[in-house]
Amino acid sequence: MSGRHRAGGAYEIFFILGIIAISFSAIFIRWSNAEASVVAMYRLFITNLILLPFAWRHRHEMLRLKPKQWGLLAASGLLLGLHFLLWMNSLRYTSVASSTVILTLQPVLVMLGSIWLFKDKINRMMLLGMGIAVVGSILIGSGDFRLSGSALYGDILSLLGTLTISVNMLVGQHLRKDLAALPYNFWMFFMAACSLGCYNLAMDYPFTGYPMKEWGFFFLLSVVSTLFGHYLFNWLLKYMNATTVSMAILGEPICASLLALVLLGEMLTGLQLFSGLIIIAGVWVFMRHRQAR
């Protein structure tokens, strides 16, 4: 076996590891009793503490940024903070399956933004895939509305969270042209955590007094879901194309729903399963024909 094939196999293993890691985030959030914004803040601050020794070694590169880059990093961090606030709160109202399946619309939204901002092209099959995915999202929303109004509210929060992370990715795409993964992730995580800290301060949420169990969930979210999930995918962008990496979002609802079934006892309704398959099929058609182009 050639070195290239061995390396390719290793990257695929890391890719699968990343999918499993981000799928655990919904479980850890459900287990935590702290406010979602507090969980998100400490998740990011702890991640930055882990990255700090590496950032210190590259401190000259970390600080040698242009004013425009600092401004875009602040915007990217604010968007990430909003994503965590909205999506993590959605898990308090709707099921893990519904919330994570709605996140699969992210590649479609990112592509629409790319068409608008970067003048990318779109074909009929991509439009068909988008249409199928939107129909699936409407079905999930209508099914959860019949279950309870709060479930529909959770779906809306998840959709808004998907919009914010999609814009975050578009800003990141622009920044990553001239910025390495470490300074981009470190400063984005830091600014997102600071924005969440300001929100928690305004809402008068406590910063201390949490039991060790809660700190354990904060730490697990930092290491498992952020470092082995989000950061790992950013690292893989050097070795796999962005289209392939973005396909990871299709695996999250499947893994997260299975984990919720085993660890939380959440059963999938027939409509959730059917709607989820429609969304995944629509996004797959969209990405398949995007990749073919």
Side-chain angles (χ1 to χ4, degrees):
M1 184 181 292
S2 68
R4 180 178 293 181
H5 287 156
R6 285 195 298 270
Y11 299 145
E12 289 170 3
I13 292 170
F14 288 138
F15 184 72
I16 295 168
L17 177 64
I19 293 173
I20 296 170
I22 60 173
S23 299
F24 267 100
S25 60
I27 306 301
F28 297 145
I29 293 163
R30 274 296 186 87
W31 280 341
S32 175
N33 292 317
E35 291 290 339
S37 55
V38 173
V39 178
M41 178 188 71
Y42 279 122
R43 166 185 186 170
L44 293 168
F45 272 140
I46 293 171
T47 301
N48 269 43
L49 284 175
I50 296 170
L51 291 173
L52 192 58
F54 305 98
W56 177 253
R57 288 176 58 188
H58 299 274
R59 57 190 180 278
H60 299 297
E61 180 187 359
M62 298 285 294
L63 297 172
R64 199 182 298 121
L65 301 179
K66 299 174 183 177
K68 183 180 178 181
Q69 289 176 317
W70 284 116
L72 288 173
L73 278 168
S76 185
L78 178 62
L79 287 163
L80 182 66
L82 278 172
H83 162 70
F84 281 135
L85 180 64
L86 292 164
W87 181 72
M88 291 169 74
N89 266 314
S90 78
L91 293 166
R92 311 288 189 188
Y93 298 96
T94 192
S95 68
V96 170
S98 292
S99 182
T100 53
V101 164
I102 289 169
L103 273 176
T104 61
L105 292 171
Q106 179 184 320
V108 176
L109 296 174
V110 170
M111 187 61 220
L112 288 173
S114 297
I115 292 167
W116 179 45
L117 294 172
F118 307 121
K119 310 303 178 187
D120 214 336
K121 303 294 183 182
I122 190 167
N123 58 44
R124 291 180 181 178
M125 292 304 295
M126 291 164 69
L127 283 171
L128 176 63
M130 278 192 289
I132 293 170
V134 169
V135 167
S137 295
I138 292 170
L139 280 174
I140 278 193
S142 64
D144 280 352
F145 180 73
R146 284 194 293 270
L147 289 172
S148 70
S150 63
L152 179 62
Y153 176 66
D155 292 344
I156 293 170
L157 288 178
S158 181
L159 181 60
L160 291 173
T162 305
L163 283 168
T164 54
I165 194 62
S166 299
V167 180
N168 165 271
M169 287 187 68
L170 290 168
V171 175
Q173 180 180 331
H174 178 73
L175 275 169
R176 286 283 281 119
K177 292 177 182 177
D178 304 307
L179 206 58
L182 180 61
Y184 171 70
N185 281 288
F186 183 87
W187 288 122
M188 180 181 64
F189 291 161
F190 178 75
M191 290 177 181
C194 288
S195 67
L196 287 164
C198 292
Y199 175 84
N200 292 329
L201 200 61
M203 298 298 292
D204 201 26
Y205 292 149
F207 282 66
T208 58
Y210 297 102
M212 285 303 298
K213 181 182 73 172
E214 291 294 335
W215 289 103
F217 293 143
F218 301 160
F219 181 78
L220 286 171
L221 276 164
S222 299
V223 175
V224 177
S225 303
T226 309
L227 286 176
F228 283 93
H230 296 285
Y231 195 100
L232 182 58
F233 285 138
N234 286 335
W235 175 78
L236 280 171
L237 284 172
K238 184 176 180 180
Y239 308 101
M240 304 172 79
N241 62 62
T243 301
T244 302
V245 173
S246 67
M247 291 290 282
I249 201 69
L250 298 182
E252 184 177 358
I254 300 168
C255 289
S257 298
L258 290 173
L259 288 169
L261 176 65
V262 174
L263 300 174
L264 302 176
E266 279 192 4
M267 302 299 294
L268 285 170
T269 67
L271 185 60
Q272 282 177 327
L273 182 60
F274 179 66
S275 304
L277 290 174
I278 288 177
I279 291 178
I280 291 170
V283 176
W284 182 85
V285 169
F286 181 93
M287 298 303 295
R288 175 74 175 80
H289 288 274
R290 160 64 180 162
Q291 195 167 20
R293 286 186 56 254

